Amino acid sequence: SVQNIRDVAAVCKKYHIPLNIDAARYAENAYFIKLREEEFKDQSIKEIIRAMFDCADMFTMSAKKDTVVNMGGLIGVKDANSPLILPIKARCISYEGFTTYGGLSGRDLEALAIGLYEGLDENYLRYRIGQMEYLAARLDDAGIAYQAPVGGHGVFVDAQAMFPQLPYHEFPGQVLAIELYKEAGIRSCDIGSYMLGNDPDTKEQLHAAFEFTRLAIPRRVYTQSHFDIMADALIAIKERAHEIKRGYRIVWEPPILRHFQAELVPIEE
Ligand SMILES: *Cc1c(COP(=O)(O)O)cnc(C)c1O
């Protein structure tokens, strides 16, 4: 909420800490602010974004999300005389490229310049969030639990509710991801104990508070039929969920961010 951003900004101001906005989801967040925050219900997405960014000293943006482009991002610093600018500039060449293009090709920069506007179109945002709501409504009808209300970028299905028989250390969220792939070729991922990983000191598997399977929805890719396939696949899995007696165990894992690359095998009964 803008109220939350303002409260954080007040604390930062008091202690002279520059406030940076992670702007990857700025447009979808502005749309949620319009829907949910009384003060902003009659304002345009652009005006709401103005109110958000008025609170901050700088922003970093992965443009691959709300700016609807294949590649790219940017850093903005509000005050042209800010002491933040020179250290950013100094590191830019070795990490990304010259400050004017940051390693991006001209084609990507042009797409980004257009996407910064297109991503703010309220009709587009309504259609985008509407896709999540459509899938959520089908899950409601089928009695399939998910994190509610749905967010902007995807639907998080409650895999522990789907497989109450599976303990966290057999990775219910990953089991559902694998079943979705087997059922209908749908690629998703665990947001649960499998992603959380091991305690850095004891090396014990951590127990996540939730075992979700994330259906992250790319922008402007799927039609309503695709969402029906997702819902139908989840319903089919729910019907046979009790037949799944065991989950998976890890046979290889990298030391960090293991969930992107680890290798799993089914646990035999
Ligand atoms: C995706 C995302 C990032 C990271 O962006 P990448 O371009 O994938 O590195 C950072 N912050 C938020 C809020 C995001 O959603």
Side-chain angles (χ1 to χ4, degrees):
S1 68
V2 171
Q3 190 53 54
N4 186 53
I5 299 172
R6 285 175 180 157
D7 292 348
V8 172
V11 175
C12 289
K13 195 163 178 216
K14 183 171 168 199
Y15 294 101
H16 306 290
I17 298 167
L19 178 58
N20 176 53
I21 290 183
D22 175 344
R25 310 276 176 82
Y26 75 121
E28 285 168 11
N29 278 331
Y31 184 71
F32 282 125
I33 285 166
K34 187 178 172 83
L35 294 185
R36 296 175 186 172
E37 229 173 324
E38 181 63 26
E39 181 185 340
F40 296 99
K41 69 180 194 323
D42 297 321
Q43 295 204 17
S44 70
I45 298 298
K46 227 172 167 175
E47 286 167 330
I48 296 167
I49 288 167
R50 174 91 249 174
M52 292 157 77
F53 283 62
D54 272 347
C55 299
D57 299 291
M58 62 177 290
F59 71 89
T60 48
M61 179 193 289
S62 168
K64 289 146 52 183
K65 310 271 178 61
D66 282 6
T67 309
V68 219
V69 291
N70 298 327
M71 188 43 71
L74 54 139
I75 297 178
V77 180
K78 192 176 279 171
D79 173 6
N81 300 313
S82 166
L84 294 165
I85 290 180
L86 286 178
I88 292 170
K89 193 172 166 177
R91 291 165 77 101
C92 202
I93 297 261
S94 53
Y95 282 92
E96 305 289 353
F98 204 75
T99 44
T100 48
Y101 66 90
L104 295 168
S105 64
R107 182 254 168 225
D108 288 324
L109 287 169
E110 287 182 24
L112 178 50
I114 292 168
L116 280 165
Y117 288 99
E118 273 190 26
L120 307 188
D121 184 315
E122 203 174 317
N123 290 321
Y124 156 74
L125 287 166
R126 186 180 304 110
Y127 138 82
R128 162 115 181 115
I129 310 293
Q131 289 195 315
M132 313 304 146
E133 289 167 348
Y134 176 79
L135 179 57
R138 287 226 40 207
L139 299 187
D140 283 338
D141 290 345
I144 293 172
Y146 60 90
Q147 187 188 46
V150 281
H153 89 293
V155 175
F156 289 58
V157 180
D158 186 341
Q160 191 67 79
M162 181 82 82
F163 304 113
Q165 70 274 29
L166 298 181
Y168 69 95
H169 49 81
E170 295 185 11
F171 311 130
Q174 188 62 17
V175 172
L176 182 54
I178 291 166
E179 291 304 319
L180 271 167
Y181 189 74
K182 291 199 293 197
E183 181 68 34
I186 295 165
R187 291 170 300 148
S188 57
C189 72
D190 170 286
I191 304 280
S193 296
Y194 178 57
M195 184 182 83
L196 192 59
N198 301 320
D199 183 302
D201 297 323
T202 67
K203 313 292 179 211
E204 290 280 303
Q205 171 65 50
L206 294 167
H207 186 173
F210 298 98
E211 305 292 345
F212 286 123
T213 301
R214 183 182 74 167
L215 291 157
I217 309 299
R219 289 160 185 79
R220 292 177 173 161
V221 173
Y222 296 143
T223 63
Q224 186 162 329
S225 318
H226 292 106
F227 287 94
D228 285 329
I229 289 170
M230 291 177 217
D232 291 346
L234 283 163
I235 291 165
I237 294 165
K238 187 179 186 230
E239 277 164 13
R240 57 177 174 76
H242 61 278
E243 293 165 14
I244 294 170
K245 307 275 188 237
R246 301 297 302 269
Y248 286 77
R249 69 183 167 83
I250 294 173
V251 289
W252 176 78
E253 60 185 289
I256 54 160
L257 297 176
R258 71 173 185 193
H259 56 291
F260 285 109
Q261 296 190 93
E263 289 168 16
L264 297 142
V265 293
I267 299 172
E268 305 296 340
E269 282 182 67

